[in-house]
Amino acid sequence: KNLFKKWKLPERMEEIEKAYEKLVNAKDFEEAGFLCSVFMMATPKDVEEQEWQFNFYDGKKDAITSYTVGKEIKVVSRDAGVFHEEGEEHVEELVLGEVKVDFASAFDVLKKRLDARHELPTHFIIVLQKLKMPVWNVSALTDTFNLVNMRVDAQTKEILEEKSFSMLSWKT
């Protein structure tokens, strides 16, 4: 049984590309470095309508400025600190033209994994970023308090990494 069949998702990068063009062509857009990621966090019922967040990295400040693009363009944060994974100090530019696997296709990989596990998602975190190559980093928090994360190559649809763990195992 496919738990996701009722969801309609954007099938192409067109939605993200249009929102990006709207942002960079807006008169009040302040160019702050380069695009480093596109982000969305949503519930299953809101994923189709949720606005994308565009994050721009300024290497001079080692900071990120974030915007959401919907009917209006909003600054989410300005000059926020950057999280660097251990051993990773370099933030790479995300070039949308390099992305060959659309959002719906990458998301389908996660949906199939959740179907196989018989778990229902309660929240999604979706990040398009560049980690040597463009990568869809898709995560789902499930009704059983598991976090399922997959990194999918945004050019080939190859699963680069898959992790799952119980949120209940976190120590406070």
Side-chain angles (χ1 to χ4, degrees):
K1 172 178 159 184
N2 185 344
L3 303 172
F4 294 83
K5 65 182 173 188
K6 65 183 179 228
W7 298 343
K8 290 175 16 186
L9 298 170
E11 300 221 356
R12 296 179 301 278
M13 283 293 296
E14 188 175 306
E15 175 188 329
I16 292 172
E17 291 168 343
K18 281 183 181 177
Y20 175 76
E21 288 301 318
K22 179 179 178 178
L23 172 61
V24 297
N25 291 316
K27 64 181 177 177
D28 54 347
F29 172 69
E30 296 175 29
E31 188 158 342
F34 56 78
L35 179 67
C36 64
S37 65
V38 181
F39 168 84
M40 177 197 298
M41 185 165 65
T43 64
K45 69 178 183 135
D46 296 332
V47 73
E48 185 180 353
E49 302 298 323
Q50 186 67 34
E51 296 174 346
W52 288 99
Q53 177 177 307
F54 294 84
N55 303 308
F56 291 81
Y57 176 71
D58 183 340
K60 293 177 187 164
K61 297 179 182 177
D62 193 31
I64 290 182
T65 298
S66 302
Y67 301 85
T68 55
V69 179
K71 290 178 184 166
E72 297 178 16
I73 294 172
K74 298 177 188 160
V75 176
V76 176
S77 65
R78 192 177 304 280
D79 296 333
V82 177
F83 170 75
H84 293 285
E85 288 192 28
E86 195 170 320
E88 293 286 325
E89 296 298 317
H90 181 70
V91 176
E92 294 193 48
E93 181 174 6
L94 174 64
V95 178
L96 295 178
E98 293 177 356
V99 177
K100 305 298 181 216
V101 175
D102 60 45
F103 169 59
S105 295
F107 202 70
D108 190 51
V109 173
L110 178 65
K111 292 188 313 187
K112 287 178 182 173
R113 179 64 63 217
L114 291 173
D115 276 347
R117 295 168 59 107
H118 304 289
E119 292 189 84
L120 288 171
T122 61
H123 290 82
F124 295 112
I125 301 168
I126 301 126
V127 182
L128 177 60
Q129 61 193 126
K130 188 162 184 181
L131 304 172
K132 297 187 173 108
M133 80 275 292
V135 171
W136 285 103
N137 190 342
V138 291
S139 300
L141 177 61
T142 70
D143 59 341
T144 57
F145 296 101
N146 287 322
L147 183 67
V148 179
N149 172 261
M150 301 185 87
R151 288 186 178 180
V152 179
D153 186 314
Q155 294 177 317
T156 66
K157 201 174 170 181
E158 174 187 353
I159 297 172
L160 303 171
E161 182 178 43
E162 181 179 345
K163 295 188 268 186
S164 175
F165 59 92
S166 172
M167 300 285 285
L168 300 176
S169 68
W170 285 359
K171 307 248 191 271
T172 56

